[in-house]
Amino acid sequence: RGQRKWQEARSYYRETIQYFLDMGHEPAVANQLECFAYIAIGLEEPEQAARLLGASQSIRERTENPIALPWEKQEYESALTALKDMIGQKTRDEEIATGRGLKIEDAVGYAIEQGDS
């Protein structure tokens, strides 16, 4: 992902997110959803990115596991700003709200399906 090899990164994250879900490691799933969102931003898929960030937010709040590392916080805040610039605050916030309503299994399925259409 850091090298902007978006499709290769998606392929990798498809495997790892399913592993974390199967293990019941919900904070790791939240992190993986954020990674999928950042890839979606790189591929100019802002609605998908916002929905994934919303799902991640919901998991982090429910598990009481906020983003802790400063560089991860910065990346997250930058993503929110990028989405606002790409689709406007109203649409961004609506998509985030939609993502927040997803069950964890549905959010993972949504993330895995991205880029397959």
Side-chain angles (χ1 to χ4, degrees):
R1 176 171 66 90
Q3 297 174 351
R4 303 176 63 89
K5 295 180 181 179
W6 307 124
Q7 296 304 337
E8 289 177 40
R10 265 188 177 161
S11 178
Y12 172 76
Y13 288 122
R14 283 183 177 125
E15 292 178 28
T16 57
I17 197 170
Q18 189 63 56
Y19 171 79
F20 289 127
L21 180 64
D22 293 345
M23 296 295 294
H25 196 317
E26 293 185 13
V29 171
N31 176 268
Q32 297 280 284
L33 291 171
E34 291 156 7
C35 292
F36 272 103
Y38 304 148
I39 292 167
I41 291 170
L43 292 170
E44 298 183 12
E45 300 167 349
E47 290 86 359
Q48 295 168 0
R51 199 169 286 195
L52 292 165
L53 289 180
S56 174
Q57 284 177 1
S58 178
I59 295 166
R60 286 190 177 279
E61 288 171 7
R62 185 172 42 76
T63 61
E64 298 179 359
N65 195 307
I67 297 171
L69 297 174
W71 66 271
E72 288 180 334
K73 287 180 184 180
Q74 182 181 10
E75 186 174 30
Y76 182 83
E77 293 299 324
S78 293
L80 290 176
T81 300
L83 291 172
K84 182 179 173 184
D85 293 345
M86 294 170 88
I87 57 177
Q89 184 169 343
K90 181 178 185 281
T91 301
R92 180 199 70 184
D93 292 350
E94 290 170 351
E95 291 296 334
I96 286 173
T98 298
R100 290 179 63 80
L102 294 174
K103 294 179 181 176
I104 191 170
E105 297 84 3
D106 295 335
V108 169
Y110 181 74
I112 288 172
E113 292 169 3
Q114 299 313 298
D116 286 344
S117 52

